[in-house]
Amino acid sequence: MHSSPGRSRGAPHLFALLAIGLSLAAGASVYATDRLATQWDARTFSTDPPDWLDRSGLGPARYLTLPRSNDFLGTQLESWNRDLRGVILLGKPAFDPYPVEVARIARDGRLIVAGRPTRPEVLVVNVDGSAIDLEGRVVARPRQGLVAYRIPANARVRSLARGLSPDGWTGTQLDYQVWPRRPGHYELTLTLPADTPQRKAMLSAGGAKRTVVLHAARRVHLSLPTTGAPLHVVVDVPTSPLGGRVLGAQVVALRFVSA
């Protein structure tokens, strides 16, 4: 028995319609997922408004990212602001293949960018994972983790705390250095929130070393001498979330006192 021509032609058409329907459904699903991811990125890493630099009237600026900082903040900044004119890395590798300039801190504390001292300009600094005491004037704080400075020519860095977040938490390691290097002592106050497991903190500065045990809801005041060597703090965290943020200790106060 032979099938009719109409039925023979109808089967391929039916499969084609099903394929088109599945493609449309899959495309809509991918679009919805991409849109949700974009919205999550904007809520988590962007500012309000996202083009705050262009609206601020501060003029052209460069982005300075510090060690251990989350550079998704910088990605959002670059994507939305035409007044951002360059990216500067301090103490970290490049996070994408685009052109960047490398900065370092000279022995006298001057911030050197691409081999030259700074010019008068605006720097948007990513302080998400480190804290800096930079010569200049704070002109904007668009969100936690970003601070805009208007700096003078030959701007100097007075101190840099690698591994100190804006909320005062360290991870497993904190490195604190001041410029110019000179003898004195570091003063540090550490604590833990209530119901936090106790942990050890090991401090060193050159040959000086000290180990303390941190307890929940107690403040520990510490002083460590130095001949000019930076301060290193290592916190032994007993447990940490898999793939999540590691919380070491809360820094209530941190400063250097000259001899």
Side-chain angles (χ1 to χ4, degrees):
M1 181 176 179
H2 298 285
S3 60
S4 67
R7 291 177 63 185
S8 298
R9 288 193 298 270
H13 291 169
L14 177 61
F15 284 120
L17 289 172
L18 287 173
I20 291 171
L22 289 172
S23 297
L24 290 173
S29 176
V30 170
Y31 170 77
T33 302
D34 181 69
R35 185 177 181 185
L36 287 173
T38 301
Q39 291 174 344
W40 181 84
D41 282 348
R43 288 195 305 270
T44 307
F45 303 114
S46 191
T47 57
D48 185 17
D51 59 344
W52 68 271
L53 180 60
D54 289 351
R55 294 168 177 257
S56 68
L58 294 174
R62 290 192 288 177
Y63 167 66
L64 172 63
T65 178
L66 302 183
R68 305 177 195 173
S69 293
N70 188 333
D71 282 308
F72 280 112
L73 301 182
T75 301
Q76 291 288 326
L77 183 66
E78 288 184 89
S79 299
W80 287 94
N81 294 276
R82 295 180 180 179
D83 277 343
L84 196 73
R85 302 296 172 83
V87 175
I88 304 169
L89 307 179
L90 178 61
K92 66 192 310 181
F95 49 88
D96 60 35
Y98 297 105
V100 297
E101 294 179 298
V102 176
R104 64 180 179 86
I105 302 173
R107 294 181 64 86
D108 61 359
R110 286 180 302 154
L111 182 62
I112 306 297
V113 179
R116 298 180 297 275
T118 59
R119 59 181 184 262
E121 63 178 317
V122 173
L123 289 181
V124 181
V125 186
N126 186 338
V127 296
D128 176 68
S130 293
I132 192 170
D133 184 0
L134 177 63
E135 183 181 7
R137 181 168 58 92
V138 174
V139 291
R141 295 182 184 271
R143 59 157 293 148
Q144 180 170 287
L146 289 180
V147 181
Y149 288 85
R150 189 175 295 280
I151 64 170
N154 297 302
R156 282 175 162 76
V157 175
R158 289 181 281 262
S159 68
L160 178 65
R162 298 175 176 88
L164 180 60
S165 297
D167 58 7
W169 276 99
T170 73
T172 58
Q173 187 171 335
L174 168 67
D175 301 303
Y176 179 63
Q177 189 169 349
V178 299
W179 287 270
R181 296 187 183 186
R182 56 201 186 275
H185 63 274
Y186 297 106
E187 293 185 352
L188 177 67
T189 302
L190 300 176
T191 190
L192 294 173
D195 301 321
T196 302
Q198 71 177 38
R199 59 203 57 184
K200 287 195 301 183
M202 289 75 73
L203 291 74
S204 63
K209 296 182 180 180
R210 187 171 177 186
T211 299
V212 296
V213 177
L214 305 177
H215 299 273
R218 296 184 192 174
R219 292 189 175 188
V220 178
H221 305 282
L222 303 162
S223 180
L224 202 67
T226 180
T227 58
L231 172 68
H232 301 290
V233 181
V234 177
V235 182
D236 185 12
V237 181
T239 59
S240 60
L242 182 63
R245 182 183 178 190
V246 178
L247 300 175
Q250 285 186 318
V251 178
V252 179
L254 174 61
R255 67 171 184 158
F256 171 81
V257 179
S258 296

